[in-house]
Amino acid sequence: MNTMASSLTVSMYKLDLWFPKTIKRTSSSIPFNNQTRHVPFQFLISNTASRFSLPNCKFSISNSLVDNCLVHGDAHKSTPPIEVKTSTWNWRDYSIRYQYSGSSGPALLLVHGFGANSDHWRKNIGVLAEGHRVYSIDLIGYGYSDKPNPRELGLNSLYTFETWASQLNDFCTDVVKDQAFFICNSIGGVVGLQAAVMKPEICRGIFLLNISLRMLHIKKQPWYGRPLIKSFQSLLRNTGVGKFFYKAVATPDSVKNILCQCYNDTSQVTDELVDIILRPGLEPGAADVFLEFICYSGGPLPEELLPQVKCPVLVAWGEKDPWEPIDLGRAYAEFDSVEDFVVLPNVGHCPQDEAPHLVNPLVASFVARHAARSASLSPAAF
């Protein structure tokens, strides 16, 4: 394997998701190898970006499919999507919402990102159900799943990647009753990787869409910046400032502005999408979940999990993502577990919703390549 780029200049993680546009993102060098990675926690430094080149060894097969989809992208519209149904699952005495469609073929589990829910896959579930059994889940704390407050339960932390990974694996055991391919966006990608590491016998393959780089992780901060991070997190979590701030951004106009930052094609930011993201965020407990997660700067990093994954991984990246720069994302192509890195042209942070005509065929192709290589476990094995 070639040595990874020793230093990358990146934008600070996606505080743009919730913070006012007047606050600029930071940038700094990150040695993206086995050394400690640092990003100063500064809000008022102008964003810069640098580029680096990688061997052109993993970008051919699926990118040809992308080119074909750009030409024939409307072909899938000739067949009406299969009906999508909604249900709930009791997990550890919490109600978890999920959606499902399709009655045959390999199982797919779609995992949303931060602040989203299973409805963010509404353009994918019914289409992928043609030949697959498709499930889309609301992670605990998001969408219409329960939103317990860990402090009321006497817990230091609940909304962690380990918790969500356990949720995915238990869902496959209890509901899917089979192995599954994990199709993940943003932080959902870290959840999928963690789940595959914890129980490799369940995951048949992982398709990562603009996986979160976790640029505010404590390991990516210099020692002198860590006290500032902790003080800022404590201010949000333990005072009224956090709730006041959440109330200010949990409005239709704010959510639309945020989405227009991360969607390159802003015509896809419809009133329906705004409602899909905002409505669950107005439910009791949603503000507490939001504050708990943005104060979570520990846990795993993608570059720590990828070497441990035993199943095949495909990484696809919207090239216009302002939150997770593709120049950083390309570095993941260097891991042995990653079979392909696919550039999605003129697409932002949520390709499954902004460009389903590109994503759906790529998912189907990835699953088809690997479905025959790993035999499904029988229900008795669960």
Side-chain angles (χ1 to χ4, degrees):
M1 180 184 301
N2 295 327
T3 303
M4 290 186 182
S6 61
S7 181
L8 307 174
T9 300
V10 302
S11 301
M12 191 176 71
Y13 183 66
K14 54 186 180 190
L15 276 183
D16 278 338
L17 180 61
W18 293 104
F19 281 81
K21 292 183 179 179
T22 53
I23 298 178
K24 298 181 181 179
R25 292 169 289 170
T26 189
S27 59
S28 179
S29 295
I30 301 179
F32 204 86
N33 49 28
N34 293 328
Q35 304 300 317
T36 303
R37 294 160 287 275
H38 298 296
V39 179
F41 189 78
Q42 299 170 348
F43 290 102
L44 301 177
I45 299 178
S46 296
N47 179 41
T48 61
S50 69
R51 297 183 178 273
F52 67 96
S53 60
L54 289 173
N56 190 26
C57 58
K58 294 187 178 182
F59 307 156
S60 57
I61 299 176
S62 295
N63 275 328
S64 296
L65 181 57
V66 169
D67 292 339
N68 185 61
C69 292
L70 287 171
V71 177
H72 305 289
D74 291 333
H76 71 280
K77 293 182 180 179
S78 60
T79 303
I82 298 174
E83 179 185 6
V84 178
K85 299 179 180 179
T86 300
S87 187
T88 57
W89 165 55
N90 185 287
W91 182 63
R92 301 181 182 179
D93 293 328
Y94 297 115
S95 177
I96 304 297
R97 181 186 76 144
Y98 69 94
Q99 301 181 59
Y100 64 100
S101 186
S103 58
S104 63
L108 314 183
L109 181 52
L110 314 184
V111 189
H112 63 79
F114 175 56
N117 57 79
S118 60
D119 289 329
H120 212 189
W121 298 95
R122 70 199 182 284
K123 300 177 183 178
N124 317 100
I125 304 173
V127 176
L128 292 172
E130 299 172 10
H132 308 91
R133 291 170 291 138
V134 185
Y135 301 84
S136 181
I137 193 169
D138 286 0
L139 296 174
I140 187 170
Y142 292 108
Y144 296 97
S145 290
D146 282 348
K147 303 169 179 62
N149 187 329
R151 285 179 285 180
E152 293 179 356
L153 301 174
L155 301 175
N156 289 329
S157 182
L158 174 63
Y159 299 107
T160 67
F161 292 107
E162 291 79 8
T163 298
W164 290 318
S166 295
Q167 181 185 347
L168 292 195
N169 287 330
D170 290 347
F171 183 82
C172 290
T173 300
D174 296 348
V175 179
V176 181
K177 299 185 185 302
D178 200 354
Q179 294 174 302
F181 289 90
F182 296 160
I183 317 300
C184 314
N185 176 229
S186 193
I187 67 161
V190 185
V191 175
L193 290 174
Q194 180 68 55
V197 169
M198 290 170 63
K199 288 195 174 182
E201 68 274 14
I202 288 179
C203 184
R204 302 179 70 181
I206 307 176
F207 190 105
L208 300 173
L209 287 161
N210 293 63
I211 185 173
S212 170
L213 298 166
R214 302 210 65 204
M215 296 309 302
L216 284 185
H217 194 285
I218 197 69
K219 291 181 180 178
K220 295 186 176 182
Q221 311 306 319
W223 63 268
Y224 53 82
R226 295 176 186 179
L228 177 59
I229 294 175
K230 291 188 177 297
S231 296
F232 177 70
Q233 290 172 334
S234 178
L235 177 70
L236 291 176
R237 190 172 184 263
N238 300 317
T239 72
V241 173
K243 292 286 183 70
F244 176 81
F245 176 71
Y246 184 82
K247 184 178 180 180
V249 297
T251 67
D253 286 344
S254 293
V255 170
K256 184 173 184 177
N257 287 336
I258 291 164
L259 290 169
C260 284
Q261 292 177 40
C262 69
Y263 279 59
N264 185 60
D265 179 4
T266 57
S267 70
Q268 298 300 315
V269 181
T270 62
D271 291 341
E272 177 194 29
L273 176 61
V274 171
D275 187 67
I276 283 171
I277 300 300
L278 177 60
R279 187 179 295 271
L282 300 178
E283 290 201 336
D288 294 314
V289 175
F290 165 79
L291 295 173
E292 286 293 321
F293 185 73
I294 65 172
C295 294
Y296 174 47
S297 54
L301 292 165
E303 55 266 34
E304 295 171 344
L305 294 172
L306 280 168
Q308 304 177 60
V309 171
K310 306 302 181 184
C311 63
V313 178
L314 186 145
V315 180
W317 217 281
E319 68 171 349
K320 300 296 185 180
D321 188 341
W323 295 338
E324 313 290 358
I326 192 171
D327 288 337
L328 269 180
R330 290 182 192 273
Y332 292 138
E334 290 292 289
F335 287 91
D336 287 338
S337 58
V338 176
E339 68 173 31
D340 205 357
F341 184 97
V342 183
V343 177
L344 303 175
N346 299 312
V347 180
H349 183 64
C350 307
Q352 79 279 9
D353 188 58
E354 185 179 347
H357 62 288
L358 299 181
V359 171
N360 291 334
L362 283 172
V363 171
S365 175
F366 172 72
V367 172
R369 286 202 301 275
H370 298 287
R373 300 182 186 179
S374 57
S376 295
L377 298 179
S378 65
F382 287 84

